[in-house]
Amino acid sequence: MAKSEGGPDALIEKLLSEGYGDGFSKGAIVAGVVTAAAASAVFAGYLLADKFKSSNAKRIEKSDELKAAAADAIAKAEARGWYTVREMCEMTGGLVLAIGDRFRALTRDGDVIMIEVDERNDNPFFVSGSELQRISDFKLDDISDL
């Protein structure tokens, strides 16, 4: 309010000239304006704190869900075991699979398969399931769609 009136002094003068200050001193009006501003700031602070807590809790919950889903996918992949490449192929994204390479299928979304290639440090890779079927002993039906 003070900014829209040209500053705190202008706001106080306006309040006094419009009769809001009848029976009150200029100091009392200043104290009232400052108290109202402080109360607004405190209330806004509570709203922001609640919003931050809420969004932070949601972020933690989502993170926990993702960790659980990843652990589940890895457990299922370990149960399925390794697939072996029988034909050399350069996959989309630059991954080259050579004859004899082993991989595990972690998750599937349609034809896109997330794989872990044995003895590689730059895992995981996202590749075509139909391409994997063509070059290895992998079968799309071995892994359920997300």
Side-chain angles (χ1 to χ4, degrees), residues 68-139:
D72 183 53
I74 290 170
K76 288 178 180 176
E78 287 173 347
R80 279 191 296 276
W82 295 94
Y83 298 98
T84 304
V85 175
R86 60 177 182 254
E87 179 182 324
M88 185 172 169
C89 180
E90 182 172 347
M91 308 294 279
T92 304
L95 170 64
V96 176
L97 293 174
I99 296 172
D101 281 348
R102 295 179 343 141
F103 65 90
R104 288 195 293 201
L106 302 175
T107 61
R108 172 184 173 194
D109 187 9
D111 186 56
V112 177
I113 310 295
M114 181 172 68
I115 65 170
E116 172 191 6
V117 180
D118 193 21
E119 298 183 19
R120 296 280 301 250
N121 293 327
D122 52 349
N123 286 304
F125 300 95
F126 296 89
V127 296
S128 165
S130 56
E131 193 73 9
L132 284 176
Q133 281 190 137
R134 188 182 67 72
I135 66 161
S136 71
D137 55 348
F138 172 78
K139 301 288 181 235

